[in-house]
Amino acid sequence: MTTVLIADDQPLQRFGFRMLLESQDDLTVLGEATNGSEAVRMSAELHPDVVLMDIRMPGMDGIEATRRIVATGDRTRVLILTTFDLDEYAHAGLRAGASGFLIKDAQPEELLSGIRAVATGDAVVAPSLTRRLLDAYAHHLPTGSTPEDTTPDPRLTALTEREREILTVIGKGWTNTEIAARLHLAESTVKTHVGRILAKTGSRDRIQAVILAYDTKLVEPS
């Protein structure tokens, strides 16, 4: 059973989400928060698998709430809801540790599959959208090392040459199927490599691995 906390300041929106989630045998709603502060407090108390987090809420917004929830190191993952697919806050949400994004008016099936994917550690943002989002907000990315600074990033030093190659193409938006086909690997092998990359680099999920690829300059914004 996947447990969900709904964080949204709109009563009708919360009601709609609850009705949808409770119609599923494998999903249960643990509670509802009306602002970021409540979401942080209730996450600490209830330990939901997923927080369905609105960005724009009074007081503490969804970005800061996401940052605080992720910082606890708990197993809870955050799925952020945005009004537009390139919401101005979306990049900040990624860097705060969100495991994915969905548009607020997403189809019910998309919302449900997104929650289930996040609960199992998958990313729910399509790789192409992840790349487009990061490119659009590349100016928010850290400048990284200077030409004189040749110290390897410690997050990459444990990776094998093949794992570094796969991390690079993850950052370019390739799916596991595309990686398998283009690098002539079995898809099961690719999944194993991806799992090791996440573990070695301390990335919570695939989206965080994409950010790592950008941060360490394995991938340059287009």
Side-chain angles (χ1 to χ4, degrees):
M1 180 69 71
T2 296
T3 57
V4 182
L5 173 66
I6 301 169
D8 195 303
D9 68 326
Q10 299 297 317
L12 287 178
Q13 196 89 63
R14 293 198 308 274
F15 177 77
F17 289 146
R18 176 181 280 276
M19 291 292 290
L20 174 63
L21 299 185
E22 291 188 341
S23 71
Q24 305 297 302
D25 293 338
D26 62 328
L27 300 175
T28 185
V29 177
L30 294 184
E32 300 176 11
T34 60
N35 56 56
S37 297
E38 279 190 5
V40 173
R41 175 180 58 79
M42 294 178 71
S43 292
E45 293 174 356
L46 302 175
H47 306 287
D49 296 310
V50 178
V51 177
L52 198 57
M53 182 79 75
D54 188 21
I55 287 182
R56 297 182 178 91
M57 292 185 289
M60 184 189 299
D61 64 18
I63 301 299
E64 180 59 27
T66 296
R67 184 177 295 109
R68 296 191 185 192
I69 290 170
V70 172
T72 66
D74 200 0
R75 62 184 175 84
T76 299
R77 296 179 182 275
V78 178
L79 176 57
I80 286 184
L81 297 172
T82 61
T83 305
F84 306 104
D85 65 352
L86 281 179
D87 190 291
E88 61 182 342
Y89 299 111
H91 182 270
L94 278 178
R95 300 202 59 84
S99 294
F101 291 86
L102 282 179
I103 313 306
K104 259 202 166 182
D105 59 358
Q107 293 297 312
E109 297 78 13
E110 190 177 356
L111 176 62
L112 294 171
S113 63
I115 291 171
R116 292 179 179 117
V118 166
T120 59
D122 260 340
V124 301
V125 180
S128 59
L129 177 56
T130 304
R131 178 70 188 273
R132 183 158 61 94
L133 189 151
L134 284 171
D135 282 350
Y137 293 97
H139 62 281
H140 289 294
L141 287 165
T143 55
S145 58
T146 63
E148 293 78 19
D149 182 9
T150 58
T151 305
D153 189 290
R155 292 173 293 180
L156 301 181
T157 54
L159 299 181
T160 65
E161 184 176 345
R162 174 64 89 181
E163 289 166 350
R164 186 184 291 247
E165 178 184 21
I166 291 176
L167 176 58
T168 300
V169 296
I170 287 174
K172 292 179 178 179
W174 293 17
T175 64
N176 284 356
T177 301
E178 291 170 333
I179 295 171
R182 298 182 191 184
L183 299 186
H184 307 290
L185 298 170
E187 193 161 346
S188 59
T189 301
V190 173
K191 290 179 180 178
T192 298
H193 281 307
V194 171
R196 288 173 179 167
I197 290 167
L198 297 182
K200 288 182 178 181
T201 61
S203 301
R204 284 170 59 86
D205 49 44
R206 196 182 188 95
I207 289 181
Q208 298 304 308
V210 172
I211 293 178
L212 173 64
Y214 273 73
D215 282 349
T216 56
K217 306 301 181 182
L218 288 177
V219 177
E220 294 288 347
S222 60

